[in-house]
Amino acid sequence: MANRILIVDDAAFMRMMIRDILTKNGYEVVGEAQDGAQAVERYKELKPDLVTMDITMPEMDGIAALKEIKKIDAGAKVIMCSAMGQQAMVIDAIQAGAKDFIVKPFQADRVIEAIKKTLG
């Protein structure tokens, strides 16, 4: 069975890029969310194997959403997505329980490497 992934990013074209990379590599994208609050709801509803989570989003940012998801499921696997120069936020995310992070602009091989490593 393909690993089920939830993509969270406020930019539709970023979600599309990640979806494209994942589906080409045999992963199943079970849902998308455009902000942190929606991500938490979609996580409860879909129970994905892994989440790719943008850090900077309106409503609720990725770090707040990560913390909420970890309250629901301590074993949640979340990979943060950040733009260059967000090192402090990446450190906060790792401390909050993120498994890894990928930097925008995405390189397909790095995305797949992070997902394989996180899913073990």
Side-chain angles (χ1 to χ4, degrees), residues 53 55 78-84 86-87 89-91 93-94 98-104 106 110-111 113-115 117-118:
M53 178 86 69
I55 290 181
V78 181
I79 295 175
M80 304 307 285
C81 306
S82 73
M84 291 298 268
Q86 290 185 319
Q87 282 83 349
M89 286 181 179
V90 168
I91 291 165
I94 300 291
K99 300 290 184 197
D100 203 344
F101 67 94
I102 46 180
V103 177
K104 296 175 183 178
F106 301 120
R110 174 66 188 113
V111 172
E113 175 195 320
I115 287 172
K117 189 173 92 181
T118 301

Side-chain angles (χ1 to χ4, degrees), residues 54-100:
D54 185 24
I55 290 181
T56 312
M57 295 181 289
E59 301 297 320
M60 178 192 284
D61 70 22
I63 295 171
L66 167 67
K67 289 175 180 170
E68 288 301 310
I69 287 171
K70 284 295 202 175
K71 282 183 202 167
I72 299 162
D73 177 4
K77 293 183 165 107
V78 181
I79 295 175
M80 304 307 285
C81 306
S82 73
M84 291 298 268
Q86 290 185 319
Q87 282 83 349
M89 286 181 179
V90 168
I91 291 165
D92 286 349
I94 300 291
Q95 287 171 340
K99 300 290 184 197
D100 203 344

Side-chain angles (χ1 to χ4, degrees), residues 15-37:
R15 294 196 307 272
M16 196 172 69
M17 273 177 61
I18 297 175
R19 174 184 283 275
D20 192 46
I21 292 167
L22 297 177
T23 52
K24 280 182 180 158
N25 285 276
Y27 294 98
E28 181 190 353
V29 175
V30 292
E32 296 182 12
Q34 55 194 9
D35 63 50

